Amino acid sequence: MKFDLLHPADQLVMIMDRIYSNNMTTMSGGNISILDENGDVWITPSGIDKGALTRGDICQVKPDGGVIGRHKPSVELPFHQKVYETRREVRAVVHAHPPALVSYSLTRTAPPTDIIPTPHIVIGKVGVAKYEVPGSRKLGENIAKIFAQGCNAVIMENHGVVTCGEDVFSAFERFETLEYCAELNIQSHKLGKPVSLTPDQIDLFKARHAGILGEFIPAQRSSQEKEARYAMCNLIRRAYGKKLFASSQGTFSQRLDGDSFLITPTGADRLYLEPADLVRVDNGWREAGKKPSRSVLLHRMIYRQHPDINAIAIAYPANVMAFGITRTELDARTIPESYIMMRSLNRAPFGANFTDPQKICSMISESAPLVLVENDSLLVTGKSLLNCFDKLEVSEFTAKTLISAKNIGEPVKISDAEVLEINKAFNLK
Ligand SMILES: [Zn+2]
């Protein structure tokens, strides 16, 4: 979808709907604005149900202060205007009260973003702005002061968060990523002590090589490929809705035949991914004009060495990741379903997926179909796309139940004898 070609009012409605439906704000909390090339600020209205916003509800504020529209602009308009005055390159501001970041705002601190590598790249610097009454000029000044220091995200004490960007999608992506970081930190603290990445580890990640593949123009598209494209897009959207993927993070691939597979492109918004956006990779060549996920070579290596694997997902579900960040063992012998799907979960050190993909590849087997890469991601393999998605969903569910159980008492594992019984009943090797 060409999001930037949509009218500002439509962009605001779409992003607000996404924030509200993903439980990242309440019905009346939060506001978003866009500064257009005429100097007009388009902003969400005050006091209107965020779950039923339409383009006609959006207010247009002229540079002279005149307002066009049927509602009053958000009471937080002054701080939006102050951010645009302070940072000339900024074209969009997102403000809301997402639960994990509000928890941080109550402690008057910002969540550490160095527990996984990408938030640093996506968000940049994060600051904290002093408390003031909502809608006041002083609140605007407090926020603008922190943005002036080069922060792209600001925690507002006892209130919420504001992010900015050169367009509304980048402001939203920073907002979503920071909320994810907050959630990840909170879940990690329930388990143990989060381990941060060192600056060297983050630099290693930034310098990783995607591997350059030559291009080819597909001569034909089989019905199987068309079906696979459609099915993958549906599951990618579902993974996004379930917070297994983020807007520009999360990779799926599916084998078509032999050394040919489909994979998600790099950087594209997962919610609006369309069948034509997926990238076909045949014998190490990529479909012309498209950029496959940076993990494409790891996917290819797995398919070549494991003929029974036909689908792979790389995801960042917060509860599973908390185990990788606190270096806590995730034992799937919780309920039979979890054990049958996940079996034994291997853990790889940070960086192994791009410095030593063979190591990851060798860890995978029928009795260990998943690998948790510390401070990075969860890799899931499956016999089919559905089987792979099922394992991914069950993993996050299992991690969540384990974290909750540990907060009630000491979880009891299914015993070795009971495991043998399950192996026999379900014909597991
Ligand atoms: Zn607010």
Side-chain angles (χ1 to χ4, degrees):
M1 177 185 283
K2 294 262 181 263
F3 195 74
D4 52 338
L5 292 182
L6 296 177
H7 186 273
D10 295 314
Q11 294 189 24
L12 293 178
V13 168
M14 284 174 83
I15 295 291
M16 192 46 108
D17 178 58
R18 202 155 161 177
I19 291 175
Y20 184 70
S21 55
N22 287 331
N23 298 321
M24 292 192 286
T25 204
T26 52
M27 190 195 222
S28 57
N31 33 76
I32 319 175
S33 71
I34 292 174
L35 173 68
D36 75 9
E37 69 297 340
N38 293 324
D40 294 349
V41 174
W42 298 81
I43 188 162
T44 47
S46 172
I48 302 295
D49 176 6
K50 299 295 189 298
L53 209 62
T54 65
R55 71 193 315 269
D57 293 322
I58 303 298
C59 307
Q60 182 185 5
V61 183
K62 306 299 288 180
D64 66 4
V67 177
I68 303 172
R70 56 176 184 239
H71 303 293
K72 276 201 334 217
S74 161
V75 293
E76 301 292 15
L77 174 66
F79 85 60
H80 287 250
Q81 288 171 316
K82 198 80 193 154
V83 176
Y84 294 126
E85 262 172 47
T86 312
R87 291 268 298 271
R88 291 292 171 184
E89 81 285 12
V90 166
R91 290 286 164 172
V93 172
V94 170
H95 162 62
H97 313 154
L101 285 173
V102 167
S103 300
Y104 270 91
S105 93
L106 302 182
T107 66
R108 303 196 163 185
T109 58
T113 54
D114 57 359
I115 47 170
I116 50 168
T118 42
H120 264 292
I121 303 162
V122 174
I123 310 168
K125 245 173 93 179
V126 184
V128 180
K130 287 255 162 278
Y131 177 82
E132 261 307 328
V133 68
S136 64
R137 198 174 51 86
K138 190 75 180 60
L139 178 63
E141 285 168 6
N142 290 355
I143 292 169
K145 200 164 81 186
I146 308 300
F147 276 111
Q149 296 167 3
C151 292
N152 293 321
V154 175
I155 302 289
M156 301 157 71
E157 289 180 353
N158 295 78
H159 188 153
V161 65
V162 200
T163 58
C164 69
E166 60 280 8
D167 56 48
V168 75
F169 184 73
S170 76
F172 167 74
E173 197 185 5
R174 286 172 174 155
F175 167 84
E176 182 190 64
T177 308
L178 193 60
E179 170 67 358
Y180 168 73
C181 274
E183 214 178 308
L184 206 50
N185 276 288
I186 292 170
Q187 292 312 90
S188 297
H189 278 289
K190 289 182 189 168
L191 264 184
K193 196 173 157 22
V195 179
S196 298
L197 291 169
T198 63
D200 284 351
Q201 285 175 312
I202 292 173
D203 286 345
L204 181 75
F205 178 84
K206 283 184 187 162
R208 75 201 190 285
H209 258 291
I212 300 159
L213 306 182
E215 295 193 346
F216 79 102
I217 298 171
Q220 58 177 16
R221 310 258 187 213
S222 65
S223 302
Q224 180 216 4
E225 177 186 336
K226 291 174 189 166
E227 173 67 30
R229 283 179 182 269
Y230 180 80
M232 278 176 75
C233 285
N234 277 341
L235 286 181
I236 290 166
R237 268 195 297 276
R238 206 195 288 185
Y240 178 77
K242 290 183 171 283
K243 292 193 174 178
L244 302 166
F245 282 8
S247 52
S248 53
Q249 279 198 333
T251 305
F252 246 129
S253 75
Q254 183 182 4
R255 191 203 298 266
L256 294 172
D257 189 21
D259 194 9
S260 165
F261 59 94
L262 289 174
I263 189 165
T264 38
T266 188
D269 185 354
R270 272 46 181 158
L271 184 60
Y272 300 120
L273 213 60
E274 290 173 12
D277 298 328
L278 299 173
V279 188
R280 195 167 114 193
V281 176
D282 281 8
N283 304 308
W285 296 73
R286 73 188 150 108
E287 207 176 335
K290 294 182 184 177
K291 262 177 138 174
S293 155
R294 280 170 173 271
S295 57
V296 64
L297 293 181
L298 174 61
H299 289 249
R300 186 172 182 228
M301 191 182 265
I302 295 172
Y303 287 132
R304 292 179 84 185
Q305 295 181 29
H306 298 275
D308 293 340
I309 292 174
N310 293 309
I312 301 167
I314 296 178
Y316 310 83
N319 290 285
V320 176
M321 293 289 290
F323 283 84
I325 284 161
T326 54
R327 315 282 160 88
T328 309
E329 190 197 357
L330 201 176
D331 192 330
R333 288 175 292 170
T334 56
I335 62 170
E337 185 200 26
S338 295
Y339 168 73
I340 292 164
M341 282 291 160
M342 296 171 68
R343 307 292 299 276
S344 120
L345 178 72
N346 277 317
R347 232 170 53 216
F350 176 80
N353 43 347
F354 47 88
T355 57
D356 191 3
Q358 184 55 55
K359 183 183 173 111
I360 304 275
C361 210
S362 310
M363 282 180 164
I364 300 165
S365 67
E366 207 178 315
S367 59
L370 297 91
V371 179
L372 178 58
V373 184
E374 289 171 353
N375 296 73
D376 190 305
S377 54
L378 174 71
L379 184 139
V380 184
T381 63
K383 288 188 171 68
S384 67
L385 198 63
L386 273 181
N387 176 251
C388 182
F389 185 87
D390 200 359
K391 284 177 184 163
L392 170 60
E393 202 175 43
V394 167
S395 307
E396 178 61 347
F397 155 84
T398 306
K400 191 177 174 186
T401 54
L402 260 174
I403 293 174
S404 301
K406 281 172 192 271
N407 279 266
I408 307 168
E410 195 45 50
V412 177
K413 285 180 216 160
I414 292 176
S415 70
D416 289 349
E418 286 159 344
V419 164
L420 287 176
E421 213 176 28
I422 296 172
N423 287 351
K424 206 171 150 207
F426 290 85
N427 201 17
L428 303 177
K429 282 181 196 145

